Amino acid sequence: MSFRYLLNLFVVVALAGACFVALPACDDETDGDADTDAHTDADGDADGDADGDADGDGDGDGTFCQEACTATADCTIGGTDMGYTCNADSRCEGAAAVPCADDPECVAINSGWQLADSDGDFIGDTDCTADGPAPGGACAAGSVCCMMTQVCLASGRCATPSPCTAPMVEVQAAPIGGGADIAVCGMAGADDSTCNTTTGLCRNPCGADADCATDVYPSCNTTTGDCECVTNPADTCAANTIGGTVCVSGVCGCAAAADCAGAGFDECYGSSCGCAAAASCTGTPIFGGTTFVCEGI
């Protein structure tokens, strides 16, 4: 599992947190209103449905703030080429995630531990075999070293030794050379992560609300281990300053535009907050050369 996969996750989360990407909620039928009727055109757009969009599929999909590119050169982050390319849809796209193989790999991924960079492009691509070299030193021939100050773990991932900076906390992990566990920095609660070998996806069950670091699913269902929103005893979406402020079927969403908060969230589509126009999309882009657009997904 490459560091590029982690970066892809970071970009998705960062964009969603900044209100520039949102995925519309769906129901069990096609008109976006959670019933099972067969609408004729009732919204004046002449497409035969009643959802207010213009594509005629009746699913209520709206428009959402996104970053548009014109060339791969637009897709750098902080001036560095992190492996993103500009695809045919004018979106910066990273390499496809490699499916997970086992639970320990998912523990490493969700802990924030990285693969070693074997070719000097600052993108992790292979398991480490040795700690980072001391200042002024070099990686021994035949070894795959972590970056300086990082330590190599038995999982083949590189981690930063304690003390840690939030949101990471001190955790114990086995070093590459064997022996007693050592104190390194990782994300709290990642130790119970599992790999679904059928889908190739990692899952990290929540144990408390603090594990649900998102405005979309702010509360932990400790029975299922899933992050969601709740309405009893109070709506956990109500205090959101970004996105939806009403809990709808376990996801923070909206019933009207007034339920949408923050830049880029000024319209309600079905139960998802989106943008009315590109002018709604303000803030700092993640990528170096992109511009904001307000378009369907």
Side-chain angles (χ1 to χ4, degrees):
M1 187 69 70
S2 74
F3 171 66
R4 190 173 290 149
Y5 172 71
L6 284 175
L7 185 59
N8 287 346
L9 290 180
F10 160 76
V11 170
V12 170
V13 171
L15 288 173
C19 309
F20 301 136
V21 168
L23 296 179
C26 59
D27 55 14
D28 292 331
E29 33 91 39
T30 60
D31 64 2
D33 60 3
D35 58 31
T36 55
D37 56 9
H39 285 299
T40 56
D41 185 55
D43 55 13
D45 61 7
D47 63 10
D49 60 28
D51 62 7
D53 64 17
D55 59 15
D57 62 6
D59 61 4
D61 47 350
T63 51
F64 304 88
C65 294
Q66 301 166 68
E67 294 187 31
C69 55
T70 58
T72 292
D74 295 336
C75 298
T76 59
I77 297 178
T80 301
D81 180 2
M82 300 301 290
Y84 285 81
T85 58
C86 187
N87 66 21
D89 296 321
S90 299
R91 300 292 184 266
C92 293
E93 180 178 62
V98 179
C100 61
D102 52 34
D103 294 349
E105 182 179 17
C106 291
V107 171
I109 291 169
N110 288 327
S111 294
W113 302 333
Q114 305 163 8
L115 290 170
D117 172 21
S118 66
D119 54 12
D121 63 357
F122 300 102
I123 298 173
D125 51 38
T126 192
D127 286 355
C128 61
T129 62
D131 295 344
C139 188
S143 295
V144 179
C145 294
C146 296
M147 296 177 62
M148 287 188 296
T149 75
Q150 288 190 322
V151 294
C152 183
L153 303 178
S155 62
R157 268 44 177 188
C158 298
T160 301
S162 181
C164 309
T165 302
M168 288 196 166
V169 299
E170 182 179 298
V171 298
Q172 298 292 311
I176 188 69
D181 287 355
I182 58 176
V184 297
C185 300
M187 298 300 294
D191 58 336
D192 59 353
S193 297
T194 58
C195 174
N196 184 324
T197 54
T198 300
T199 63
L201 299 176
C202 291
R203 180 174 186 267
N204 184 16
C206 63
D209 290 352
D211 297 335
C212 300
T214 169
D215 291 327
V216 183
Y217 313 99
S219 306
C220 178
N221 183 325
T222 55
T223 300
T224 65
D226 294 330
C227 291
E228 58 190 24
C229 61
V230 297
T231 57
N232 185 25
D235 193 323
T236 53
C237 302
N240 280 354
T241 58
I242 297 293
T245 61
V246 176
C247 183
V248 182
S249 300
V251 181
C252 290
C254 57
D259 299 328
C260 300
F265 281 164
D266 53 3
E267 284 289 346
C268 182
Y269 300 101
S271 59
S272 299
C273 291
C275 55
S280 306
C281 309
T282 59
T284 303
I286 296 295
F287 298 101
T290 55
T291 56
F292 288 130
V293 295
C294 179
E295 297 177 351
I297 296 176

